[in-house]
Amino acid sequence: MAKKNGSIMYKCSNCGYSQPRWLGRCPECSEWNTLEEIIIDRNKITPAGQGSEQQLKIKPVSLASVEAADTSRYMTGIPELDRVLGCGATKRSAILLGGEPGIGKSTLLLQTVAGVAKTFGKDKGILYVSGEESAAQIKDRANRLNLDCSGLQLLCSSRLEDALDALDKLNPVFVIIDSIQTIYSAEAGLVPGTVNQLKYCANEFISWVKERDSVLIMTAHVTKEGTIAGPKSLEHMVDTVISFERNNDDIRFLHAQKNRFGSVDELGIFSMTEKGLIPVDDPTTLFITERKEKQPAGVCCTPVFEGTRVFLVEIQALTVPAKASVSRVYSEKIDSGRVARIAAVLEKRCGIVFSDQDIYVNVAGGVRLGESSIDAALAAALYSARTDLAIDNNTTLFGELSLAGEIRPVGKAKQRVKAAQNFGLNCVICNENEAGCTKVCDIKSLIKTTFSK
């Protein structure tokens, strides 16, 4: 019955008696059908040192007999974070927060635990495990941000065994690991940050939180490409993956790349100040440049949806003759493949040449755009940049552009039109029948309507 790293035993669930063979009746307490199969790992390293660990062998069960778990949520006290998580953090969930160094991950987490303590009271345990900063540094940040963190239990250690021991003693409702790359266990080696260490330590924390009504938040570093460092399997192990990004100013963006308990379309927006991260309550016009004079060529405004909110964004385009006769597309905030596709449709359907031009595309405010409704505005901005014809300040466009040159309708048109009109953009060009809209069905009519004013 021996296994590779362990053996099978049978343990009585009534008195704890164990033996290597199954019996219908326990010899110790005389109870019937109480012997359960367990796995004994004699190579397991426990916090006390080398020893053995007993685990109940899991067997399949009927789905009809399973009761639905309690998926109630904890509010963090930060509206923008709750929005991205899906109306709060779900019990027994593991969250991975990634962001570049110095962006404000630790500040966000400290404000989060302060909000949780305010919501639940100081009697609820909150454990903050810091492997990067000392207790004095965290205390100084709390004082600078004027946060009441008296209900916070702080553990400044990189050893996994110390963290698990503290978790078992405190049984906290919120657990913060800052960061998972600094945590190590002797069982997976002594060097933190390796693939084995990341997977092993993360799995131990996730296993702990899945058995209790707690929430686990782990921070992670990112690579130069902006992806979370470490194996991709770490992202598959958690329930929610949140990316923390910035633009060139003091604006921070928080959005979910994966969320098992909510939408991944919501966008949280913060302003970094000396008092910490301040949620931006009304970001509708945050990415629009208000101009009193006529706007330059290559600029077009469009309403986009991020989750449940409408944002007005400004798409900027520039075309210049290609260097060395090889044209390129430079675009960070909009996929360069989409830009090349829109330029190809304009060249084919409208007869304007882009193949000898370098194309530069930007989005004011630094927000990333991915939905198909921006196609019409992007096409207008590219046409404007190529012909040096400016779009009227009161004009906005939205709609999906097909390869055949058709302008297709998009969802939630009424909310987009209302947001544009509330900002004073009274000329809305799209393929919709909403009041106040100018309806166009193809790229030629869109270009003609937009630049005839």
Side-chain angles (χ1 to χ4, degrees):
M1 302 293 291
K3 300 293 181 181
K4 183 177 180 180
N5 291 320
S7 59
I8 299 295
M9 296 289 289
Y10 294 90
K11 183 177 181 179
C12 177
S13 59
N14 184 52
C15 66
Y17 172 82
S18 61
Q19 67 169 38
R21 196 174 50 152
W22 184 85
L23 294 175
R25 186 177 185 180
C26 176
E28 184 71 21
C29 63
S30 301
E31 291 291 332
W32 287 91
N33 298 321
T34 57
L35 292 180
E36 297 178 336
E37 192 176 16
I38 62 173
I39 300 175
I40 297 181
D41 187 359
R42 304 188 186 280
N43 296 323
K44 179 73 175 181
I45 297 180
T46 63
Q50 188 81 18
S52 63
E53 183 175 86
Q54 299 181 359
Q55 295 180 345
L56 184 65
K57 188 174 182 179
I58 305 300
K59 299 180 180 180
V61 296
S62 171
L63 181 61
S65 64
V66 178
E67 296 183 1
D70 181 11
T71 57
S72 59
R73 300 173 183 268
Y74 294 140
M75 305 305 290
T76 65
I78 303 178
E80 294 297 299
L81 178 58
D82 290 334
R83 180 192 302 276
V84 174
L85 291 174
C87 299
T90 306
K91 291 180 180 178
R92 306 191 177 201
S93 66
I95 302 167
L96 185 64
L97 174 64
E100 64 185 49
I103 197 172
K105 298 188 298 296
S106 299
T107 299
L108 177 64
L109 293 179
L110 201 58
Q111 291 182 228
T112 299
V113 297
V116 171
K118 186 181 298 183
T119 302
F120 291 98
K122 299 178 182 179
D123 57 327
K124 293 287 186 179
I126 303 173
L127 179 62
Y128 193 114
V129 180
S130 176
E132 298 182 346
E133 297 179 307
S134 65
Q137 289 176 305
I138 298 175
K139 179 64 175 180
D140 288 342
R141 180 181 294 112
N143 291 338
R144 186 177 73 252
L145 301 178
N146 196 25
L147 298 176
D148 181 11
C149 297
S150 54
L152 173 65
Q153 297 294 320
L154 185 61
L155 175 64
C156 295
S157 174
S158 296
R159 292 184 69 247
L160 173 67
E161 292 75 17
D162 293 340
L164 294 178
D165 184 59
L167 289 173
D168 291 334
K169 289 181 179 179
L170 298 174
N171 194 26
V173 68
F174 253 76
V175 183
I176 306 295
I177 308 297
D178 188 17
S179 68
I180 187 61
Q181 273 103 350
T182 62
I183 304 298
Y184 75 94
S185 172
E187 186 160 342
L190 297 177
V191 180
T194 62
V195 173
N196 288 339
Q197 288 284 10
L198 283 173
K199 295 172 67 175
Y200 181 81
C201 296
N203 183 68
E204 291 294 315
F205 287 126
I206 294 171
S207 299
W208 187 92
V209 80
K210 290 296 181 182
E211 299 175 357
R212 296 164 178 83
D213 289 339
S214 303
V215 175
L216 169 68
I217 303 179
M218 301 181 292
T219 65
H221 305 303
V222 298
T223 62
K224 293 180 179 180
E225 292 75 21
T227 59
I228 293 177
K232 295 295 289 185
S233 58
L234 190 62
E235 299 182 23
H236 297 307
M237 294 167 64
V238 299
D239 301 300
T240 305
V241 178
I242 298 179
S243 177
F244 204 25
E245 302 174 352
R246 75 169 94 194
N247 64 359
N248 295 329
D249 301 321
D250 295 327
I251 301 299
R252 304 289 190 269
F253 302 113
L254 196 68
H255 65 90
Q257 299 176 348
K258 169 189 175 182
N259 193 353
R260 288 175 178 162
F261 307 108
S263 172
V264 295
D265 297 325
E266 294 288 356
L267 180 68
I269 304 177
F270 298 88
S271 175
M272 176 62 83
T273 67
E274 60 181 7
K275 296 298 182 181
L277 292 163
I278 306 299
V280 178
D281 296 327
D282 184 18
T284 306
T285 60
L286 184 64
F287 311 108
I288 291 291
T289 304
E290 296 189 40
R291 298 183 178 90
K292 295 182 180 179
E293 68 281 358
K294 187 177 181 180
Q295 66 184 11
V299 174
C300 185
C301 296
T302 184
V304 297
F305 252 93
E306 291 288 345
T308 57
R309 296 185 293 185
V310 185
F311 300 92
L312 288 171
V313 298
E314 181 182 283
I315 298 177
Q316 304 166 352
L318 175 68
T319 60
V320 295
K323 303 173 181 63
S325 301
V326 179
S327 61
R328 296 182 180 182
V329 176
Y330 301 89
S331 177
E332 294 182 359
K333 305 307 179 183
I334 300 177
D335 182 60
S336 58
R338 168 172 288 182
V339 177
R341 174 173 59 84
I342 300 297
V345 173
L346 284 170
E347 186 164 344
K348 176 67 176 179
R349 307 300 173 184
C350 299
I352 184 169
V353 178
F354 286 93
S355 56
D356 60 348
Q357 300 287 308
D358 284 338
I359 302 175
Y360 297 82
V361 174
N362 186 41
V363 180
V367 64
R368 294 183 181 273
L369 301 181
E371 66 169 332
S372 59
S373 68
I374 67 171
D375 288 355
L378 178 57
L382 289 173
Y383 187 93
S384 173
R386 186 70 178 92
T387 60
D388 206 29
L389 298 174
I391 301 173
D392 190 77
N393 292 37
N394 297 324
T395 300
T396 184
L397 303 89
F398 66 88
E400 181 182 355
L401 179 62
S402 71
L403 293 179
E406 303 168 314
I407 303 297
R408 298 169 54 85
V410 294
K412 302 178 181 177
K414 183 178 294 185
Q415 294 94 320
R416 299 176 195 268
V417 173
K418 183 179 179 181
Q421 292 176 343
N422 289 342
F423 188 67
L425 303 177
N426 299 319
C427 180
V428 182
I429 302 175
C430 57
N431 188 1
E432 306 287 349
N433 292 318
E434 299 293 334
C437 294
T438 301
K439 185 173 181 179
V440 293
C441 299
D442 55 58
I443 186 63
K444 289 184 179 180
S445 57
L446 180 139
I447 294 299
K448 182 179 179 180
T449 304
T450 302
F451 294 94
S452 63
K453 297 183 178 299

